[in-house]
Amino acid sequence: MSEFIEKRRELSIHEYEFMKHLKLFAPDEIREIKNKRLHHEHRIERRAKELTDYINYIVFESSLLQLIKERRRKLRVTEGSHNLEHSIQNRTKMLYKQAMNRFPGDYRIWVHYLKHCGKNNYKTEASRTLDKMLNFHGDKPAAWMSAAKWEYIQMYNLERTKHFMFRGLQRHPDSREMYVCFLQLMIKEAEKIAKRIKKQGDTDKANGELSKALECLQLIYQHYNAKETDLDFFVDLIPCLKESDATKSFGKDVLKEMKKTFAQKELMWHTLAQLAYEDSYLVEETSATQAKKPFEECLKQCVQTYKTAVEALPTAQMWSYYIDAMLEVNNDMSSYPKLRRKSLAEAFKNAYENSSLDEQKLIQYLKLLTYADKRSDSFVAEVFQKALNAYPNSGQLWELRLKDAVRNEMSADGFDSLFKQAINKCAVEDALSLWIVRCQYYQTQPVLSEKLRQVFREAIQQPNLEISQHFQPVFLKYLVVTTNIDNARKEYREMQRNCIPCLELHRKMAELELIQVQPNSDQLRLVHENITQYFGSSRIEVWIDYINFERTHGSPKNMQSLYERAKSRLDCELVASFIAQYELLKNSLI
């Protein structure tokens, strides 16, 4: 093993000499590169080899190559690229080949290599590898599609492309993805020939090539369609056809077949509506090159398609497609904002009137209604009532209902009554969000400050730890902001005595002590003592924070004694990590 490492080390010497000669790296950087490379060499030459070792080595070499390019650009150095960069590129290529030979059954390395070749323009090199890859991974449709795409896109070798696709389909005759991929490539080929004809004029040769491409397209389509009826096949294929005049006739036939076969499928109608919105010529008797219709007309046709769909298929899924599409339309409000909002409101209202909104859609609808500029309180109340009747245990719906009560300044008695209903209906895991809204309500009512304190204390006393421990630090901050630090300290002591230990409570108290005009070291030390008492056996950071406090705000002479206490208190498996962090802290102080 060592002789291989030594041989490769000797071959690298000229690289280091060039780095030094060109002044791309300092001597210590070159030593670091040597050490890292030697580490990777030992990893790939050890007896128990792993693919990750090769990948890590390759990543190192690729990163080094990128760094060299950046240094050259920064220092304006151009000489010697053949000797330096080419040497690194050759090493990377060798590592890939070794990895593929040692781990041919791992598909990842072949994928990595194809990406590497594409990035570095090693087209012929990758093309030679494809057959070998397929010998090991012919059981994967993705491997055949990768090979075909490489030959078509990188090499523009149509014969090899067809060769791989036909062989792949022999192995995987039921693979929808492979049929779609083959059709996509043939559509691109037809488009390419059509563009050449348009640019150079009609020739018998070009027209013959186009006819062959379209004929191949039809044969592939018919072959799959004769095997099975699959809506996903059409949905995957149509996006490739919607902007191509060369395959317009074929596209129309595909769309017609889809409409005829899947008239009772929601996804088919959704696909039609999206084509209308995108102004695809597949749903219009126009050319792909003609001027596009105005946005208003496209949206109107899209909406009309959805309306026809929900009449034909008034299912929750169909309404969901309709509403999701209108929500997507409203993501961009740079143009026609009123029209977009109106289309969304109409979709929601129609679905609501047809009782076709599920829980999540009702939540979305209520968010729109409650935040609307011109809202109808009676209608909002009606929707809330209907939603809560349908989903009485929905934490999100009750949270929305309470937030709406806050905005509408409901009376305290009315709000508390509503809150009790919500808490009784919802699951334990939804309770925290409801308590948060309750506190927000009383924070918007300055005259009810005493009631707010009572609510805070009720929350802190909850048996649900998530609620109790959330509000402990929140209450402390509230007291400091509205009264003074003394009240916060008093409440802190009460919670410390009566509540299950909460790390965030102590951290918040330390933070509040620290932001005082004149921080009290004794009070801060007391908080840190409490933290280490409760959490000092399992949390390294509480000791590091305490030690750092003594250095910056307390007494630095206490640092060593805290260090010794921490080592004795921490769980055995944490001591080594603590010592390392302590040393880092000490070094940063020098």
Side-chain angles (χ1 to χ4, degrees), residues 58-268:
I58 289 165
V59 169
F60 168 75
E61 293 293 340
S62 300
S63 300
L64 177 61
L65 193 62
Q66 185 61 34
L67 181 58
I68 290 171
K69 290 179 181 177
E70 291 173 5
R71 292 281 176 93
R72 282 187 179 278
R73 184 168 58 252
K74 184 178 180 180
L75 301 173
R76 298 182 180 179
V77 175
T78 57
E79 65 174 294
S81 62
H82 180 80
N83 298 68
L84 186 54
E85 279 91 330
H86 285 211
S87 179
I88 295 173
Q89 288 168 347
N90 288 336
R91 180 182 295 103
T92 305
K93 197 182 298 182
M94 176 201 70
L95 287 168
Y96 268 117
K97 288 183 177 179
Q98 286 182 355
M100 289 186 290
N101 287 333
R102 291 187 184 278
F103 306 96
D106 197 314
Y107 184 53
R108 292 177 298 167
I109 190 62
W110 301 94
V111 173
H112 269 274
Y113 185 58
L114 286 179
K115 288 180 180 177
H116 175 74
C117 290
K119 183 179 178 181
N120 293 281
N121 205 30
Y122 301 152
K123 296 182 179 180
T124 305
E125 188 74 29
S127 191
R128 292 196 200 105
T129 310
L130 296 177
D131 287 301
K132 190 175 180 181
M133 175 184 77
L134 292 170
N135 285 339
F136 290 101
H137 299 285
D139 60 322
K140 299 178 180 66
W144 293 100
M145 290 188 284
S146 294
K149 287 177 182 177
W150 181 272
E151 287 298 334
Y152 185 77
I153 297 169
Q154 301 293 341
M155 306 300 292
Y156 190 42
N157 188 329
L158 188 59
E159 292 308 311
R160 284 264 288 176
T161 301
K162 290 180 178 180
H163 167 74
F164 284 132
M165 290 309 306
F166 282 128
R167 279 184 59 199
L169 287 171
Q170 285 177 345
R171 288 283 300 273
H172 306 281
D174 299 321
S175 171
R176 183 186 78 240
E177 291 82 4
M178 286 199 67
Y179 275 99
V180 171
C181 177
F182 200 176
L183 288 165
Q184 287 173 339
L185 294 175
M186 295 313 300
I187 289 166
K188 285 182 180 179
E189 178 63 13
E191 289 173 351
K192 193 177 292 185
I193 297 169
K195 286 179 182 177
R196 193 166 72 241
I197 291 173
K198 185 176 180 181
K199 185 176 180 180
Q200 299 176 359
D202 287 355
T203 64
D204 291 341
K205 181 181 178 182
N207 285 323
E209 289 175 353
L210 180 59
S211 296
K212 284 183 181 179
L214 293 174
E215 184 180 348
C216 183
L217 199 61
Q218 284 284 358
L219 286 172
I220 300 164
Y221 169 72
Q222 289 168 5
H223 190 267
Y224 181 82
N225 215 28
K227 293 167 67 67
E228 57 181 291
T229 304
D230 183 353
L231 178 56
D232 288 334
F233 169 75
F234 289 89
V235 173
D236 292 342
L237 179 59
I238 280 174
C240 315
L241 295 163
K242 58 188 179 185
E243 296 297 339
S244 172
D245 263 344
T247 55
K248 179 178 179 179
S249 177
F250 174 69
K252 291 276 189 181
D253 290 342
V254 170
L255 192 67
K256 183 178 178 181
E257 180 73 19
M258 183 184 74
K259 289 165 68 176
K260 175 184 174 183
T261 309
F262 302 102
Q264 297 302 309
K265 295 287 185 180
E266 294 90 345
L267 182 56
M268 189 283 293

Side-chain angles (χ1 to χ4, degrees), residues 120 166 202 208 211 249 258 263 378 400 405 424 451 460 515 517 530 532 536:
N120 293 281
F166 282 128
D202 287 355
S211 296
S249 177
M258 183 184 74
S378 60
L400 273 179
N424 290 333
K451 177 66 175 177
I460 289 164
I515 63 173
V517 177
N530 290 333
T532 53

Side-chain angles (χ1 to χ4, degrees), residues 212-354:
K212 284 183 181 179
L214 293 174
E215 184 180 348
C216 183
L217 199 61
Q218 284 284 358
L219 286 172
I220 300 164
Y221 169 72
Q222 289 168 5
H223 190 267
Y224 181 82
N225 215 28
K227 293 167 67 67
E228 57 181 291
T229 304
D230 183 353
L231 178 56
D232 288 334
F233 169 75
F234 289 89
V235 173
D236 292 342
L237 179 59
I238 280 174
C240 315
L241 295 163
K242 58 188 179 185
E243 296 297 339
S244 172
D245 263 344
T247 55
K248 179 178 179 179
S249 177
F250 174 69
K252 291 276 189 181
D253 290 342
V254 170
L255 192 67
K256 183 178 178 181
E257 180 73 19
M258 183 184 74
K259 289 165 68 176
K260 175 184 174 183
T261 309
F262 302 102
Q264 297 302 309
K265 295 287 185 180
E266 294 90 345
L267 182 56
M268 189 283 293
W269 286 99
H270 175 59
T271 304
L272 281 184
Q274 290 299 300
L275 288 171
Y277 181 66
E278 294 161 4
D279 195 21
S280 170
Y281 76 95
L282 290 176
V283 293
E284 293 288 339
E285 292 299 326
T286 60
S287 165
T289 58
Q290 288 182 0
K292 295 291 184 180
K293 288 188 298 187
F295 172 81
E296 312 99 287
E297 289 186 34
C298 293
L299 181 57
K300 182 180 178 182
Q301 188 172 352
C302 171
V303 168
Q304 186 55 53
T305 304
Y306 279 118
K307 286 181 177 179
T308 304
V310 293
E311 286 179 11
L313 290 171
T315 64
Q317 180 62 66
M318 193 66 255
W319 281 105
S320 183
Y321 276 132
Y322 181 12
I323 291 169
D324 285 341
M326 294 304 104
L327 286 168
E328 184 70 26
V329 167
N330 276 259
N331 283 340
D332 176 13
M333 300 297 282
S334 59
S335 62
Y336 304 99
K338 290 183 180 179
L339 180 60
R340 293 173 191 267
R341 284 196 293 266
K342 181 181 177 182
S343 300
L344 177 60
E346 185 180 12
F348 266 121
K349 193 168 188 298
N350 290 340
Y352 171 73
E353 289 173 349
N354 282 274

